[in-house]
Structure formats: C-alpha cells, structure tokens
Amino acid sequence: MAITHDEIVSILGPVDGELVAELMATGASAEELREAWGWLQNDEALMSAGRPLPGTRVGRLIEMLEPDDDEV
C-alpha cells in the first residue's frame, strides 16, 4: 500500500510539502520509507548487522532524502 502524508510525517517529522508529494508519487510503502530513513541515519550499523543493501525503491528514497552537499 502506498504511503500516506501522515505516515511520512510520523517517520520523518515535519517535512516540506513538495517532498511529501514526491515521496507519495514513488508508490513506496511506509516500511520502505522506514528502511530508507534507517539507512540514512545509521548505515554502518545496518551493514555490520548483515543487512542486505537496500533495493531499488529504497535506494531511490534514500537519494530523495539525502541532503544536497550545499545544504549540509
């Protein structure tokens, strides 16, 4: 099931409306967004735990959520 606005906010916190629309357009599930957010927050721990690398859709979500170099 595709992710809803409320699920996005519950996972990421307050976010820009444009990002919400882009995330919803991917057709990703809340579980996929949680996984992408987890990879962004702690990729070393996930790799050390033997988790497989993210799939295509999760990888796309990671790209969308990563801050641009000029935003850091």
Side-chain angles (χ1 to χ4, degrees):
M1 186 159 107
I3 195 163
T4 66
H5 175 276
D6 291 341
E7 290 171 324
I8 292 170
V9 171
S10 74
I11 296 167
L12 304 179
V15 291
D16 175 90
E18 185 177 328
L19 178 60
V20 169
E22 290 174 8
L23 292 170
M24 290 174 73
T26 67
S29 68
E31 181 177 318
E32 290 169 321
L33 182 60
R34 277 189 208 93
E35 182 179 348
W37 190 241
W39 276 103
L40 278 170
Q41 300 303 308
N42 206 357
D43 62 347
E44 280 188 39
L46 293 174
M47 288 178 16
S48 295
R51 293 282 305 264
L53 293 175
T56 305
R57 187 177 292 171
V58 172
R60 175 70 183 123
L61 293 171
I62 291 169
E63 289 175 5
M64 295 171 73
L65 296 171
E66 279 183 311
D68 292 333
D69 289 338
D70 57 346
E71 291 180 12
V72 178

